[in-house]
Amino acid sequence: MVRTIRLLIAYDGGNYCGWQRQKQGEATIQGEMERRLALLCQEEITLHGAGRTDTGVHAQGMVAHFQTSARTPVTAFFKGLNSLLPPDIRILGAEEAPPDFHSRFDAQGKTYRYDFFTGPLQAPWSRLYRAHFPGPFDPDRLRLALNCLQGTHDFSSFERTGTRDKTLTTGRGAVRTLHDLSCSPSPGGEACWSIRITGDGFLRQMVRILSGTLIEIGQGKRDDSEMERILEARDRRMAGLTAPACGLYLERLYYPKPLFQEFPNPCFLPS
C-alpha cells in the first residue's frame, strides 16, 4: 500500500543552493532530504515542498510530502530522519496524510519574514541571518506604502526579470493577493527590524524586492508615495533593490485544516 507522509521542516539555507534539487549536483534541501529518505525507505523518494526557497533563504515552517510503499513507522521520519540529516536541517513534525494531500497545491497562503539591521556595525555572528542596511530608519514612513500593497494587484514590478514566460495566457500571471503586511522591531537589540508579508502566493524574489523597496522608503531614499506608481508601472526597473537572501525566512504556511496537531510549539504550525 502506498502511503503519503507529511513533514514539517526547518532549515538554515546558508549552505544550500535553495530548496529545489539541481541538475549540476549542488547541495539543496530537497536533494539532501531525498537521499536520507531513500535510506530509510529503501526506495527512491521524491519530496514535494510547498514552495521553492532560493539560495541562502531559511525556513521555520516548510511543509513537504512524499509517497512510499515502505512500512517504516512515522516516528522514523522524525527521530530517525533527524539523526541522518545534517544539523542545519531539522524535521519538526511527521504524520500520515490523506492520499490526495499535496503540500503545494493545498496551501492557501504563506507568511515570509525579512530581518534586517540598520545600525552602523553589525555583529559578525548575525551576518548570515539578518541583512545589514546601515542608516537612519523610520518604520512610520512605511504606513502609506504598506497600505498600498495590501489587496490584489499585479506585482510585475516586484518580480525577478526573466523568471516567467509572459506570453502565456493561462494562469494568473503576476496577480497576487497580500492579506497582511507589517514592519516592527525584532529581537536582537536596537535597530533590528522585521518585515512580515502574508499572501496567497509570491513571485520569484518578490518578497526580497518588496523588502528592499520598503527599506529604501524607511531610510528616506524614496518617497512614501512612490509605491502606487511602482505597482502601476508593472516594470521591475521602477522598484528598489533585491534585498539579500540571508534575511529572508519562510515563516508559516496556511492550509484549510490544522496540520501536525501533536507538535508542541504552535509558533511553527500552519493554521
Side-chain angles (χ1 to χ4, degrees):
M1 182 180 69
V2 176
R3 306 154 65 203
T4 299
I5 305 297
R6 181 164 54 208
L7 302 175
L8 181 63
I9 310 160
Y11 54 83
D12 175 343
N15 292 323
Y16 299 95
C17 295
W19 166 270
Q20 189 177 13
R21 177 191 326 111
Q22 301 290 321
K23 293 181 180 179
Q24 295 80 6
E26 293 97 335
T28 65
I29 305 297
Q30 183 187 30
E32 293 294 316
M33 292 192 63
E34 286 178 342
R35 281 193 287 275
R36 273 63 173 199
L37 285 167
L39 291 173
L40 281 175
C41 298
Q42 293 297 295
E43 63 182 3
E44 187 174 337
I45 295 294
T46 298
L47 184 66
H48 302 274
R52 301 174 180 178
T53 54
D54 289 337
T55 300
V57 175
H58 317 295
Q60 291 182 326
M62 172 66 84
V63 175
H65 77 279
F66 64 94
Q67 293 186 323
T68 180
S69 57
R71 296 183 179 180
T72 310
V74 172
T75 54
F77 299 121
F78 178 65
K79 295 181 179 179
L81 188 53
N82 276 331
S83 70
L84 295 173
L85 286 166
D88 49 10
I89 305 174
R90 278 294 168 263
I91 307 303
L92 304 177
E95 62 186 14
E96 297 263 3
D100 60 349
F101 173 80
H102 197 288
S103 55
R104 177 184 173 192
F105 299 135
D106 289 353
Q108 295 183 327
K110 303 174 183 177
T111 295
Y112 279 97
R113 187 183 82 242
Y114 195 84
D115 290 350
F116 61 102
F117 174 68
T118 57
L121 186 66
Q122 185 177 32
W125 50 83
S126 69
R127 75 191 190 285
L128 300 179
Y129 308 102
R130 192 184 299 274
H132 190 201
F133 289 91
F137 180 79
D138 182 1
D140 290 337
R141 295 178 62 92
L142 302 184
R143 289 179 182 175
L144 180 61
L146 293 174
N147 287 336
C148 180
L149 290 169
Q150 190 159 323
T152 302
H153 305 284
D154 185 313
F155 285 96
S156 296
S157 292
F158 300 96
E159 177 183 22
R160 178 179 170 179
T161 303
T163 58
R164 181 172 53 86
D165 185 353
K166 297 183 179 180
T167 65
L168 295 176
T169 58
T170 58
R172 55 178 175 166
V175 176
R176 300 291 186 273
T177 300
L178 301 186
H179 305 293
D180 189 45
L181 303 97
S182 66
C183 179
S184 58
S186 62
E190 188 177 356
C192 291
W193 306 93
S194 292
I195 293 172
R196 278 186 174 83
I197 303 177
T198 299
D200 65 353
F202 295 90
L203 303 165
R204 183 76 182 273
Q205 294 189 351
M206 176 175 161
V207 178
R208 290 170 59 192
I209 299 169
L210 281 170
S211 297
T213 307
L214 289 168
I215 292 168
E216 288 180 356
I217 293 172
Q219 292 191 319
K221 297 175 182 178
R222 288 176 177 266
D223 191 84
D224 59 356
S225 64
E226 281 191 52
M227 191 59 77
E228 184 175 1
R229 181 169 59 86
I230 295 170
L231 269 174
E232 291 176 350
R234 301 181 183 181
D235 184 346
R236 171 65 187 93
R237 294 171 295 181
M238 298 293 291
L241 58 82
T242 303
C246 63
L248 184 59
Y249 296 77
L250 173 58
E251 191 172 61
R252 197 172 184 186
L253 283 150
Y254 301 90
Y255 289 88
K257 297 180 180 179
L259 311 184
F260 307 101
Q261 296 181 40
E262 82 287 356
F263 188 68
N265 190 343
C267 72
F268 290 110
L269 292 184
S271 62

